[in-house]
Amino acid sequence: MTYHYADYKTILSPKNGMNIYRGCTHGCIYCDSRSACYQMKHDFEDIEIKRDAAGILEKQLRKRRYPCMITTGAMCDPYIHLEEKLQITRSCLEVIERRGFGLAILTKSDRIMRDIDLLYTINTKAKCVVQMTLTTFDEDLCRILEPNVSTTAERFAVLETMRKAEIPTVVWLDPSLPFINDSEENLRGLLDYCVRAKVRAIVCFGFGTTMREGSRDYYYEKLDEHFPGLKEKYIQTFSGSYECRSPNNSKLMRIFREECHKHGIIYRQSDAFKYINRFESRIGQMSLF
């Protein structure tokens, strides 16, 4: 693993999103963060680290008049391999816990279990939402699509542990790669995990994937390696489109809505993000009883 540090003045976006690392070593073949539009001036696996991330976060939170939800993981996973050694994500969670802010954290890694003590404490003071991305029910296929990260079954185990700790969870159900994992069998397997783990919401943008300059070349390279001939089918079907919608989208969306409605899971995008981003303070609640 290679990495380097870079100086930043801020760590939070205007909407309170936090990215500690730039780049990733999970190796997911479809990763949008490889896209040229994000202007990473270094190899994707050569991780850029924001120097003194926790210190910068402390200064920014100290200036906030009111606490809010801090989100992280949408761009780069906070639990890449380097986190085991550097523990920068943990340092930032300690700041969030100490300042009384909420947290919505998204990952594909069971390394998050290391920090369950902080997640639990944040959730007792404010609100902590643990989000896991699930793409593929088949474990062997998962190891091809997402080779260097926890398998789907391992992520389900995280969701189960969070449920037992009464930490709310949300699942991101994406991407659904056309002609690979866009099947009813795959969807029902993943939804069964969600129901068993009693997730609060599922974020789903439809069934398909996206490709841009940078990520498309990598994805096609991996298709040639693992699914010979499929690249040509993609080119014929989608040409150079950004959005590559599954031919099964309508059917899968119907199943998705029906199952979520049946089990009381939030599934509309607006409602899901409203839940994720809504700050809730627990302080003082115990004194009411």
Side-chain angles (χ1 to χ4, degrees):
M1 291 183 290
T2 60
Y3 62 96
H4 61 280
Y5 286 89
D7 294 316
Y8 284 78
K9 293 182 179 180
T10 64
I11 194 169
L12 292 179
S13 73
K15 293 186 177 181
N16 302 308
M18 175 179 70
N19 281 299
I20 298 163
Y21 301 108
R22 296 198 77 202
C24 189
T25 49
H26 286 166
C28 304
I29 72 171
Y30 51 75
C31 183
D32 177 70
S33 295
R34 291 181 180 273
S35 301
C37 65
Y38 297 116
Q39 300 181 336
M40 287 193 192
K41 297 178 174 59
H42 54 89
D43 290 341
F44 193 67
E45 286 78 14
D46 176 19
I47 309 300
E48 182 175 282
I49 303 167
K50 297 184 179 181
R51 195 190 313 274
D52 191 27
I56 297 171
L57 178 63
E58 178 87 52
K59 292 176 184 176
Q60 287 193 269
L61 295 189
R62 195 182 300 138
K63 295 178 181 178
R64 300 296 170 94
R65 292 185 62 186
Y66 304 104
C68 62
M69 296 296 287
I70 306 299
T71 63
T72 188
M75 177 67 180
C76 293
D77 199 301
Y79 288 102
I80 58 175
H81 299 83
L82 271 175
E83 176 60 22
E84 291 184 11
K85 172 183 177 181
L86 302 179
Q87 300 194 33
I88 301 174
T89 293
R90 183 171 178 85
S91 296
C92 289
L93 297 191
E94 289 172 342
V95 173
I96 292 169
E97 186 273 329
R98 186 166 60 249
R99 305 296 305 183
F101 281 68
L103 172 71
I105 188 165
L106 172 63
T107 185
K108 293 176 184 172
S109 175
D110 62 5
R111 292 187 188 91
I112 193 172
M113 291 301 303
R114 180 201 65 191
D115 295 334
I116 193 169
D117 58 329
L118 284 170
L119 303 175
Y120 181 84
T121 306
I122 291 170
N123 197 53
T124 60
K125 292 182 176 181
K127 183 173 78 172
C128 177
V129 181
V130 170
Q131 305 167 86
M132 298 293 291
T133 299
L134 302 183
T135 62
T136 307
F137 184 69
D138 184 287
E139 291 287 282
D140 292 331
L141 182 58
C142 179
R143 289 184 178 93
I144 293 173
L145 303 183
E146 302 158 334
N148 304 323
V149 70
S150 304
T151 67
T152 306
E154 290 168 339
R155 293 176 225 173
F156 169 64
V158 172
L159 293 172
E160 279 279 82
T161 301
M162 297 299 165
R163 176 183 63 80
K164 294 173 183 175
E166 299 184 345
I167 298 171
T169 55
V170 170
V171 160
W172 288 57
L173 205 63
D174 70 307
S176 185
L177 304 174
F179 319 120
I180 297 177
N181 66 332
D182 58 338
S183 67
E184 179 177 345
E185 179 184 15
N186 184 64
L187 174 59
R188 289 193 181 278
L190 296 177
L191 289 176
D192 180 62
Y193 274 159
C194 293
V195 170
R196 289 163 59 189
K198 296 184 179 180
V199 303
R200 301 291 181 89
I202 299 176
V203 176
C204 177
F205 299 99
F207 293 88
T209 190
T210 57
M211 286 191 288
R212 311 188 227 216
E213 179 188 355
S215 62
R216 178 181 284 105
D217 292 343
Y218 187 82
Y219 183 57
Y220 280 170
E221 177 186 324
K222 293 302 177 181
L223 290 187
D224 281 341
E225 180 180 346
H226 298 289
F227 308 96
L230 191 54
K231 178 180 75 174
E232 288 71 25
K233 189 172 184 178
Y234 264 76
I235 293 171
Q236 292 172 1
T237 305
F238 304 113
S239 186
S241 298
Y242 166 67
E243 186 174 4
C244 305
R245 186 70 71 185
S246 166
N248 301 325
N249 179 67
S250 296
K251 174 185 176 182
L252 296 178
M253 282 301 298
R254 184 179 68 253
I255 295 170
F256 169 67
R257 295 190 192 100
E258 288 174 352
E259 290 301 305
C260 287
H261 181 74
K262 177 180 176 182
H263 295 283
I265 298 172
I266 299 169
Y267 63 91
R268 293 185 178 89
Q269 286 182 36
S270 58
D271 293 339
F273 284 113
K274 187 182 297 182
Y275 172 73
I276 292 167
N277 293 313
R278 184 177 64 242
F279 177 79
E280 300 173 20
S281 177
R282 320 285 192 207
I283 297 176
Q285 288 186 7
M286 294 301 294
S287 63
L288 297 176
F289 300 97

